[in-house]
Amino acid sequence: MAGNSARERLYLFDTTLRDGAQTNGVDFTLADKIEIARMLDDLGIDYVEAGYPGANPTDTNFFSERRPMRARLTAFGMTRRPGRSASNDPGLVVLLEAEADAICFVAKSWDYHVRVALETTEDENLASIRDSVRAAKAKGREVLLDCEHFFDGYKAKPAYALACAKAAHEAGARWVVLCDTNGGTLPHEVERIVGEICKAIPGGAVGIHAHNDTEQAVANSFAAVRAGARQIQGTLNGLGERCGNANLVSIIPTLKLKPEYADKFDIGVTEDALGRLLRVSHRLDELLNRAPDRHAPYVGESAFATKAGIHASAIVKEPKTYEHVAPERVGNKRKLLVSDQSGRSNVLAELDRIGLSLDKDDVRVTRLLEEVKEREAVGYAYEAADASFELLARRMMGQVPHYFDVDKFDVNVEQRVNAKGERVTVSQAVVKLKVGDDELISVAEGIGPVNALDLALRKDLGKYQSFITGLELTDYRVRILNGGTQAVTRVLIESTDETGDHWRTVGVSANIIDASFQALMDSIVYKLMKSGAPA
Ligand SMILES: [Zn+2]
């Protein structure tokens, strides 16, 4: 990797598939796990902890065969049970048999937990750590020991917490990982305690595992590194139970792009891989069927978005004035929000982004700006609807073909008693379209009136049908706006297609069906345009 630098190597350990899998509502399949492990390997993560063999069928399956990768595939499990020998503990035997490069044991390091949860003596817990580390070493595995509740344990009884860490290190563990299991430790405490541990155990063998219960898991990870630790454990998008684990998607760019760390440390993530970070983050959200956090540092859609007109003109001249790093470095892009506060430079920058470069004094820019302002005054929101903005701009330039007309539509909602005697609500839509000389009528039933309308609209577009087969609605949001004497409804729709592109469209009306119809139409026309459908 990085040749002859004087920088120190810092290691990244990902536990998305183990600690992250303990999140409420997260349930990875075997196929998910394999895909995520490959993605992490490709990103340049050093250790991929993929699960707890023996704890559930998915994890047992995952480790039942060799899965070659550059990263060290790590199996998680407990140290031997008190009062048993290593070879006589079925859980440990399964762990030792797992097809993994490394084994990460978890062990208690808080005397209170040893007594109350483990119901054993402090010495027996130390012996269990030593025996387990040795058994895994004897199997040829690299060994890590997660010291559970380390910081709370250290505050309660420093000598014992340290003894647990030392027992693992002396028995041959490559890494002793200090875990803030309850997530309540503060950065200055982490820095002090890790500093003390690094006097007894070399920092090159010390790792940090932080949880986000005070929103400081990332800061705690960096505090530990400043104090000497050289391994950071975390998860993609900060996934993890309660408030999550340290977010590697925030940690990686900081390590790569902030000179305080970049000048001192090398990590396994290359410049190229860093440029794919946004995609990695979004892919995990997709697998979990979650909308990406728009405000996520570095990779969020709003992370490099600027609204006010004066800022926008400065950004266009000199991006560094309002950006702490260049968005392209992490695969993100600068976004200048077109909104009622926006000035000419916002509109120009947005036009530039969609590939319409106009002179700033062009009269069409003035017209577009006025149109945007007028429409936003009645409720449209173009900063949240990039595709509708592009259509508006291109229509003004005469660049949007006239594909089809909707002569009329009819949406009907009926509540009735069905054959089983149950009360059901059924929605049906009829759409009458004209495509060229063809008149088409489509009828569809849906789970609601908007769904029925969407299905009917897309059921038969005649010669254009093949261009929209990959079109899918991924999000539908409604907001009632109170402006003036009557309320209006704003509908925002997010769509995607077979290429993985996402776009948003907007509709506004006093009537929710009409607002939805506008947003659906924009989405279909945008899809036809981007697919190059002929006029
Ligand atoms: Zn944890």
Short mmCIF file of all heavy atoms in Angstrom, two decimals, residues 202-261:
data_model
loop_
_atom_site.label_atom_id
_atom_site.label_comp_id
_atom_site.label_asym_id
_atom_site.label_seq_id
_atom_site.Cartn_x
_atom_site.Cartn_y
_atom_site.Cartn_z
N PRO A 202 1.56 -2.00 24.87
CA PRO A 202 1.89 -1.10 23.75
C PRO A 202 0.63 -0.67 22.98
O PRO A 202 -0.25 -1.51 22.73
CB PRO A 202 2.80 -1.94 22.85
CG PRO A 202 3.04 -3.23 23.54
CD PRO A 202 2.22 -3.31 24.77
N GLY A 203 0.56 0.61 22.64
CA GLY A 203 -0.62 1.13 21.93
C GLY A 203 -0.88 0.38 20.63
O GLY A 203 -2.03 0.26 20.19
N GLY A 204 0.19 -0.16 20.04
CA GLY A 204 0.05 -0.91 18.80
C GLY A 204 -0.73 -2.20 18.97
O GLY A 204 -1.05 -2.88 17.99
N ALA A 205 -1.06 -2.54 20.23
CA ALA A 205 -1.87 -3.74 20.49
C ALA A 205 -3.20 -3.37 21.13
O ALA A 205 -3.93 -4.24 21.60
CB ALA A 205 -1.09 -4.69 21.40
N VAL A 206 -3.51 -2.05 21.14
CA VAL A 206 -4.72 -1.61 21.85
C VAL A 206 -5.75 -1.08 20.84
O VAL A 206 -5.42 -0.33 19.92
CB VAL A 206 -4.38 -0.51 22.88
CG1 VAL A 206 -5.65 0.10 23.49
CG2 VAL A 206 -3.47 -1.08 23.98
N GLY A 207 -7.01 -1.50 21.02
CA GLY A 207 -8.10 -1.04 20.16
C GLY A 207 -9.18 -0.35 20.98
O GLY A 207 -9.23 -0.49 22.20
N ILE A 208 -10.06 0.38 20.28
CA ILE A 208 -11.16 1.07 20.95
C ILE A 208 -12.47 0.63 20.29
O ILE A 208 -12.58 0.53 19.07
CB ILE A 208 -11.00 2.61 20.87
CG1 ILE A 208 -12.17 3.34 21.53
CG2 ILE A 208 -10.84 3.10 19.42
CD1 ILE A 208 -12.17 3.31 23.03
N HIS A 209 -13.48 0.38 21.13
CA HIS A 209 -14.81 -0.02 20.66
C HIS A 209 -15.80 0.89 21.38
O HIS A 209 -16.06 0.72 22.56
CB HIS A 209 -15.04 -1.50 21.01
CG HIS A 209 -16.39 -2.04 20.67
ND1 HIS A 209 -16.59 -2.99 19.69
CD2 HIS A 209 -17.62 -1.80 21.18
CE1 HIS A 209 -17.87 -3.30 19.62
NE2 HIS A 209 -18.52 -2.59 20.52
N ALA A 210 -16.29 1.89 20.67
CA ALA A 210 -17.11 2.91 21.33
C ALA A 210 -18.56 2.84 20.87
O ALA A 210 -18.84 2.57 19.70
CB ALA A 210 -16.55 4.29 21.02
N HIS A 211 -19.47 3.09 21.80
CA HIS A 211 -20.90 3.19 21.49
C HIS A 211 -21.34 4.64 21.62
O HIS A 211 -20.71 5.44 22.31
CB HIS A 211 -21.71 2.27 22.40
CG HIS A 211 -21.74 0.85 21.91
ND1 HIS A 211 -22.74 0.37 21.12
CD2 HIS A 211 -20.85 -0.17 22.07
CE1 HIS A 211 -22.49 -0.91 20.83
NE2 HIS A 211 -21.35 -1.26 21.39
N ASN A 212 -22.46 4.94 20.97
CA ASN A 212 -22.80 6.35 20.71
C ASN A 212 -23.83 6.94 21.66
O ASN A 212 -24.54 7.87 21.29
CB ASN A 212 -23.31 6.46 19.27
CG ASN A 212 -23.12 7.85 18.71
OD1 ASN A 212 -22.20 8.55 19.11
ND2 ASN A 212 -24.01 8.26 17.82
N ASP A 213 -23.90 6.44 22.87
CA ASP A 213 -24.98 6.87 23.77
C ASP A 213 -24.93 8.32 24.20
O ASP A 213 -25.92 8.87 24.69
CB ASP A 213 -25.05 5.92 24.97
CG ASP A 213 -25.37 4.51 24.51
OD1 ASP A 213 -24.47 3.86 23.91
OD2 ASP A 213 -26.50 4.06 24.69
N THR A 214 -23.77 8.96 24.06
CA THR A 214 -23.73 10.42 24.30
C THR A 214 -23.39 11.14 22.99
O THR A 214 -22.90 12.26 23.02
CB THR A 214 -22.72 10.82 25.38
OG1 THR A 214 -21.39 10.63 24.87
CG2 THR A 214 -22.89 10.03 26.66
N GLU A 215 -23.65 10.49 21.86
CA GLU A 215 -23.37 11.07 20.53
C GLU A 215 -21.87 11.36 20.38
O GLU A 215 -21.48 12.29 19.68
CB GLU A 215 -24.19 12.36 20.34
CG GLU A 215 -24.10 13.01 18.97
CD GLU A 215 -25.24 12.64 18.03
OE1 GLU A 215 -26.34 12.41 18.53
OE2 GLU A 215 -24.98 12.57 16.82
N GLN A 216 -21.02 10.59 21.08
CA GLN A 216 -19.60 10.89 21.01
C GLN A 216 -18.76 9.66 20.68
O GLN A 216 -17.57 9.63 20.96
CB GLN A 216 -19.14 11.52 22.32
CG GLN A 216 -19.87 12.84 22.59
CD GLN A 216 -19.33 13.61 23.76
OE1 GLN A 216 -18.45 14.43 23.62
NE2 GLN A 216 -19.86 13.34 24.93
N ALA A 217 -19.37 8.67 20.06
CA ALA A 217 -18.61 7.45 19.74
C ALA A 217 -17.45 7.75 18.78
O ALA A 217 -16.36 7.20 18.92
CB ALA A 217 -19.54 6.40 19.14
N VAL A 218 -17.69 8.64 17.82
CA VAL A 218 -16.62 8.99 16.89
C VAL A 218 -15.54 9.77 17.63
O VAL A 218 -14.34 9.48 17.51
CB VAL A 218 -17.19 9.79 15.68
CG1 VAL A 218 -16.07 10.40 14.86
CG2 VAL A 218 -18.06 8.89 14.81
N ALA A 219 -15.96 10.75 18.43
CA ALA A 219 -14.98 11.55 19.20
C ALA A 219 -14.21 10.66 20.16
O ALA A 219 -13.00 10.81 20.34
CB ALA A 219 -15.71 12.66 19.96
N ASN A 220 -14.89 9.70 20.78
CA ASN A 220 -14.21 8.78 21.71
C ASN A 220 -13.18 7.93 20.97
O ASN A 220 -12.11 7.63 21.52
CB ASN A 220 -15.24 7.88 22.41
CG ASN A 220 -15.89 8.60 23.59
OD1 ASN A 220 -15.39 9.62 24.06
ND2 ASN A 220 -17.01 8.08 24.06
N SER A 221 -13.49 7.52 19.74
CA SER A 221 -12.54 6.72 18.97
C SER A 221 -11.28 7.54 18.70
O SER A 221 -10.16 7.04 18.84
CB SER A 221 -13.17 6.28 17.65
OG SER A 221 -14.38 5.58 17.89
N PHE A 222 -11.47 8.80 18.32
CA PHE A 222 -10.30 9.64 18.05
C PHE A 222 -9.53 9.96 19.34
O PHE A 222 -8.30 10.05 19.32
CB PHE A 222 -10.71 10.93 17.33
CG PHE A 222 -11.03 10.69 15.87
CD1 PHE A 222 -12.32 10.88 15.39
CD2 PHE A 222 -10.04 10.25 15.01
CE1 PHE A 222 -12.61 10.63 14.05
CE2 PHE A 222 -10.33 10.01 13.66
CZ PHE A 222 -11.61 10.20 13.19
N ALA A 223 -10.25 10.10 20.44
CA ALA A 223 -9.57 10.36 21.73
C ALA A 223 -8.65 9.18 22.06
O ALA A 223 -7.52 9.37 22.51
CB ALA A 223 -10.61 10.56 22.83
N ALA A 224 -9.14 7.96 21.78
CA ALA A 224 -8.33 6.77 22.07
C ALA A 224 -7.09 6.73 21.17
O ALA A 224 -6.00 6.36 21.61
CB ALA A 224 -9.17 5.51 21.87
N VAL A 225 -7.27 7.12 19.91
CA VAL A 225 -6.13 7.12 18.98
C VAL A 225 -5.09 8.16 19.44
O VAL A 225 -3.89 7.88 19.44
CB VAL A 225 -6.61 7.41 17.53
CG1 VAL A 225 -5.42 7.68 16.61
CG2 VAL A 225 -7.43 6.23 17.01
N ARG A 226 -5.56 9.33 19.85
CA ARG A 226 -4.62 10.35 20.35
C ARG A 226 -3.84 9.82 21.54
O ARG A 226 -2.68 10.15 21.74
CB ARG A 226 -5.37 11.63 20.74
CG ARG A 226 -5.69 12.54 19.57
CD ARG A 226 -6.06 13.93 20.07
NE ARG A 226 -7.19 13.89 20.99
CZ ARG A 226 -8.46 13.92 20.60
NH1 ARG A 226 -8.77 13.99 19.32
NH2 ARG A 226 -9.43 13.89 21.50
N ALA A 227 -4.50 8.97 22.35
CA ALA A 227 -3.85 8.45 23.55
C ALA A 227 -2.98 7.22 23.25
O ALA A 227 -2.33 6.70 24.15
CB ALA A 227 -4.91 8.09 24.59
N GLY A 228 -2.98 6.74 22.00
CA GLY A 228 -2.08 5.65 21.65
C GLY A 228 -2.70 4.43 21.02
O GLY A 228 -1.98 3.59 20.48
N ALA A 229 -4.02 4.27 21.10
CA ALA A 229 -4.66 3.07 20.52
C ALA A 229 -4.47 3.07 19.01
O ALA A 229 -4.46 4.12 18.38
CB ALA A 229 -6.14 3.04 20.86
N ARG A 230 -4.34 1.89 18.41
CA ARG A 230 -4.08 1.81 16.97
C ARG A 230 -5.08 0.94 16.22
O ARG A 230 -4.85 0.55 15.08
CB ARG A 230 -2.64 1.32 16.72
CG ARG A 230 -1.58 2.34 17.17
CD ARG A 230 -1.65 3.62 16.33
NE ARG A 230 -0.72 4.65 16.78
CZ ARG A 230 -1.05 5.70 17.54
NH1 ARG A 230 -2.31 5.86 17.95
NH2 ARG A 230 -0.15 6.58 17.89
N GLN A 231 -6.17 0.61 16.88
CA GLN A 231 -7.25 -0.05 16.14
C GLN A 231 -8.57 0.62 16.52
O GLN A 231 -8.84 0.84 17.71
CB GLN A 231 -7.36 -1.54 16.47
CG GLN A 231 -8.45 -2.22 15.63
CD GLN A 231 -8.83 -3.61 16.09
OE1 GLN A 231 -9.85 -3.82 16.73
NE2 GLN A 231 -8.00 -4.59 15.77
N ILE A 232 -9.39 0.92 15.50
CA ILE A 232 -10.72 1.48 15.75
C ILE A 232 -11.76 0.47 15.29
O ILE A 232 -11.71 -0.01 14.16
CB ILE A 232 -10.93 2.80 14.99
CG1 ILE A 232 -9.93 3.86 15.44
CG2 ILE A 232 -12.36 3.30 15.18
CD1 ILE A 232 -10.03 5.17 14.66
N GLN A 233 -12.70 0.17 16.19
CA GLN A 233 -13.82 -0.69 15.82
C GLN A 233 -15.06 0.18 15.61
O GLN A 233 -15.29 1.13 16.34
CB GLN A 233 -14.10 -1.72 16.92
CG GLN A 233 -12.93 -2.66 17.16
CD GLN A 233 -13.35 -3.95 17.86
OE1 GLN A 233 -14.42 -4.04 18.44
NE2 GLN A 233 -12.48 -4.95 17.80
N GLY A 234 -15.83 -0.16 14.61
CA GLY A 234 -17.05 0.61 14.35
C GLY A 234 -17.91 -0.11 13.34
O GLY A 234 -17.65 -1.27 12.99
N THR A 235 -18.95 0.59 12.86
CA THR A 235 -19.88 -0.01 11.90
C THR A 235 -20.18 0.98 10.78
O THR A 235 -19.95 2.18 10.93
CB THR A 235 -21.23 -0.37 12.58
OG1 THR A 235 -21.79 0.83 13.12
CG2 THR A 235 -21.06 -1.40 13.66
N LEU A 236 -20.71 0.48 9.68
CA LEU A 236 -21.16 1.34 8.60
C LEU A 236 -22.39 2.11 9.07
O LEU A 236 -23.31 1.54 9.66
CB LEU A 236 -21.54 0.52 7.37
CG LEU A 236 -20.39 -0.15 6.61
CD1 LEU A 236 -20.95 -0.96 5.44
CD2 LEU A 236 -19.37 0.87 6.12
N ASN A 237 -22.42 3.38 8.79
CA ASN A 237 -23.53 4.27 9.15
C ASN A 237 -23.82 4.27 10.65
O ASN A 237 -24.90 4.65 11.07
CB ASN A 237 -24.81 3.92 8.38
CG ASN A 237 -24.64 4.06 6.88
OD1 ASN A 237 -23.68 4.68 6.42
ND2 ASN A 237 -25.54 3.50 6.11
N GLY A 238 -22.85 3.81 11.45
CA GLY A 238 -23.05 3.83 12.90
C GLY A 238 -24.12 2.85 13.38
O GLY A 238 -24.66 2.99 14.47
N LEU A 239 -24.41 1.85 12.54
CA LEU A 239 -25.41 0.85 12.91
C LEU A 239 -25.03 0.20 14.25
O LEU A 239 -23.86 -0.01 14.53
CB LEU A 239 -25.44 -0.22 11.82
CG LEU A 239 -26.69 -1.05 11.70
CD1 LEU A 239 -27.84 -0.19 11.20
CD2 LEU A 239 -26.46 -2.21 10.72
N GLY A 240 -26.00 -0.13 15.05
CA GLY A 240 -25.71 -0.78 16.32
C GLY A 240 -26.86 -0.59 17.29
O GLY A 240 -27.69 0.30 17.10
N GLU A 241 -26.91 -1.44 18.31
CA GLU A 241 -28.05 -1.37 19.23
C GLU A 241 -28.07 -0.02 19.95
O GLU A 241 -27.09 0.69 19.99
CB GLU A 241 -28.03 -2.54 20.22
CG GLU A 241 -26.79 -2.61 21.08
CD GLU A 241 -26.81 -3.81 22.02
OE1 GLU A 241 -27.89 -4.26 22.40
OE2 GLU A 241 -25.72 -4.27 22.38
N ARG A 242 -29.22 0.29 20.52
CA ARG A 242 -29.48 1.60 21.17
C ARG A 242 -29.15 2.75 20.22
O ARG A 242 -29.79 2.93 19.20
CB ARG A 242 -28.72 1.72 22.49
CG ARG A 242 -28.96 0.57 23.48
CD ARG A 242 -28.39 0.92 24.84
NE ARG A 242 -27.02 1.37 24.77
CZ ARG A 242 -25.95 0.56 24.74
NH1 ARG A 242 -26.11 -0.75 24.82
NH2 ARG A 242 -24.74 1.06 24.65
N CYS A 243 -28.10 3.51 20.53
CA CYS A 243 -27.78 4.69 19.72
C CYS A 243 -26.70 4.37 18.70
O CYS A 243 -26.20 5.26 18.01
CB CYS A 243 -27.33 5.82 20.62
SG CYS A 243 -28.36 5.99 22.08
N GLY A 244 -26.28 3.14 18.63
CA GLY A 244 -25.33 2.73 17.60
C GLY A 244 -23.89 2.67 18.06
O GLY A 244 -23.56 2.99 19.20
N ASN A 245 -23.04 2.21 17.13
CA ASN A 245 -21.59 2.12 17.36
C ASN A 245 -20.92 3.33 16.71
O ASN A 245 -21.56 4.11 16.02
CB ASN A 245 -21.06 0.85 16.68
CG ASN A 245 -21.40 -0.42 17.42
OD1 ASN A 245 -22.56 -0.73 17.62
ND2 ASN A 245 -20.40 -1.16 17.84
N ALA A 246 -19.61 3.42 16.91
CA ALA A 246 -18.83 4.47 16.24
C ALA A 246 -19.02 4.32 14.73
O ALA A 246 -18.93 3.21 14.20
CB ALA A 246 -17.37 4.35 16.61
N ASN A 247 -19.30 5.42 14.05
CA ASN A 247 -19.62 5.38 12.62
C ASN A 247 -18.35 5.43 11.77
O ASN A 247 -17.71 6.47 11.64
CB ASN A 247 -20.53 6.55 12.29
CG ASN A 247 -21.01 6.53 10.86
OD1 ASN A 247 -20.64 5.64 10.08
ND2 ASN A 247 -21.84 7.49 10.51
N LEU A 248 -18.01 4.31 11.14
CA LEU A 248 -16.79 4.26 10.31
C LEU A 248 -16.92 5.16 9.08
O LEU A 248 -15.92 5.64 8.55
CB LEU A 248 -16.50 2.83 9.87
CG LEU A 248 -16.00 1.88 10.96
CD1 LEU A 248 -15.80 0.48 10.40
CD2 LEU A 248 -14.70 2.37 11.60
N VAL A 249 -18.16 5.41 8.64
CA VAL A 249 -18.35 6.26 7.47
C VAL A 249 -17.97 7.72 7.78
O VAL A 249 -17.62 8.49 6.89
CB VAL A 249 -19.80 6.14 6.95
CG1 VAL A 249 -20.06 7.11 5.81
CG2 VAL A 249 -20.07 4.71 6.49
N SER A 250 -18.00 8.09 9.05
CA SER A 250 -17.51 9.42 9.44
C SER A 250 -16.03 9.36 9.80
O SER A 250 -15.28 10.32 9.56
CB SER A 250 -18.29 9.95 10.65
OG SER A 250 -19.65 10.11 10.32
N ILE A 251 -15.61 8.26 10.40
CA ILE A 251 -14.23 8.14 10.86
C ILE A 251 -13.25 8.06 9.68
O ILE A 251 -12.21 8.73 9.68
CB ILE A 251 -14.09 6.89 11.78
CG1 ILE A 251 -14.79 7.18 13.13
CG2 ILE A 251 -12.62 6.52 12.00
CD1 ILE A 251 -14.90 5.98 14.05
N ILE A 252 -13.58 7.29 8.67
CA ILE A 252 -12.65 7.07 7.55
C ILE A 252 -12.26 8.37 6.84
O ILE A 252 -11.08 8.66 6.68
CB ILE A 252 -13.22 6.01 6.56
CG1 ILE A 252 -13.18 4.63 7.24
CG2 ILE A 252 -12.43 5.98 5.25
CD1 ILE A 252 -13.96 3.55 6.49
N PRO A 253 -13.24 9.21 6.43
CA PRO A 253 -12.83 10.45 5.76
C PRO A 253 -12.03 11.39 6.67
O PRO A 253 -11.13 12.08 6.21
CB PRO A 253 -14.14 11.10 5.32
CG PRO A 253 -15.24 10.21 5.70
CD PRO A 253 -14.71 9.00 6.38
N THR A 254 -12.37 11.39 7.94
CA THR A 254 -11.60 12.25 8.86
C THR A 254 -10.15 11.77 8.91
O THR A 254 -9.21 12.58 8.87
CB THR A 254 -12.24 12.25 10.27
OG1 THR A 254 -13.57 12.78 10.15
CG2 THR A 254 -11.45 13.08 11.25
N LEU A 255 -9.96 10.44 8.96
CA LEU A 255 -8.59 9.90 8.98
C LEU A 255 -7.85 10.21 7.68
O LEU A 255 -6.65 10.44 7.67
CB LEU A 255 -8.62 8.38 9.19
CG LEU A 255 -8.99 7.90 10.59
CD1 LEU A 255 -9.17 6.38 10.58
CD2 LEU A 255 -7.94 8.30 11.62
N LYS A 256 -8.59 10.21 6.57
CA LYS A 256 -7.94 10.39 5.26
C LYS A 256 -7.76 11.87 4.89
O LYS A 256 -6.83 12.20 4.16
CB LYS A 256 -8.80 9.75 4.15
CG LYS A 256 -8.89 8.25 4.19
CD LYS A 256 -7.63 7.54 3.74
CE LYS A 256 -7.35 7.65 2.26
NZ LYS A 256 -6.09 6.91 1.92
N LEU A 257 -8.65 12.72 5.37
CA LEU A 257 -8.67 14.08 4.85
C LEU A 257 -8.24 15.16 5.83
O LEU A 257 -7.99 16.29 5.44
CB LEU A 257 -10.09 14.42 4.33
CG LEU A 257 -10.64 13.48 3.24
CD1 LEU A 257 -12.06 13.86 2.87
CD2 LEU A 257 -9.75 13.51 2.00
N LYS A 258 -8.17 14.84 7.10
CA LYS A 258 -7.75 15.85 8.07
C LYS A 258 -6.26 15.65 8.37
O LYS A 258 -5.87 14.58 8.85
CB LYS A 258 -8.58 15.72 9.36
CG LYS A 258 -10.06 15.96 9.15
CD LYS A 258 -10.32 17.41 8.80
CE LYS A 258 -11.75 17.62 8.34
NZ LYS A 258 -12.00 19.01 7.92
N PRO A 259 -5.46 16.68 8.09
CA PRO A 259 -4.00 16.52 8.22
C PRO A 259 -3.55 16.00 9.58
O PRO A 259 -2.60 15.23 9.65
CB PRO A 259 -3.48 17.94 7.97
CG PRO A 259 -4.55 18.60 7.16
CD PRO A 259 -5.85 17.99 7.58
N GLU A 260 -4.25 16.39 10.65
CA GLU A 260 -3.84 15.92 11.97
C GLU A 260 -3.72 14.40 12.01
O GLU A 260 -2.86 13.84 12.68
CB GLU A 260 -4.82 16.40 13.04
CG GLU A 260 -4.58 15.69 14.36
CD GLU A 260 -5.22 16.33 15.57
OE1 GLU A 260 -6.11 17.19 15.39
OE2 GLU A 260 -4.83 15.94 16.69
N TYR A 261 -4.61 13.70 11.28
CA TYR A 261 -4.56 12.23 11.23
C TYR A 261 -3.88 11.73 9.96
O TYR A 261 -3.09 10.79 9.99
CB TYR A 261 -5.98 11.65 11.35
CG TYR A 261 -6.59 11.98 12.70
CD1 TYR A 261 -7.55 12.98 12.83
CD2 TYR A 261 -6.16 11.32 13.86
CE1 TYR A 261 -8.07 13.31 14.08
CE2 TYR A 261 -6.68 11.64 15.10
CZ TYR A 261 -7.64 12.64 15.21
OH TYR A 261 -8.15 12.96 16.42
#
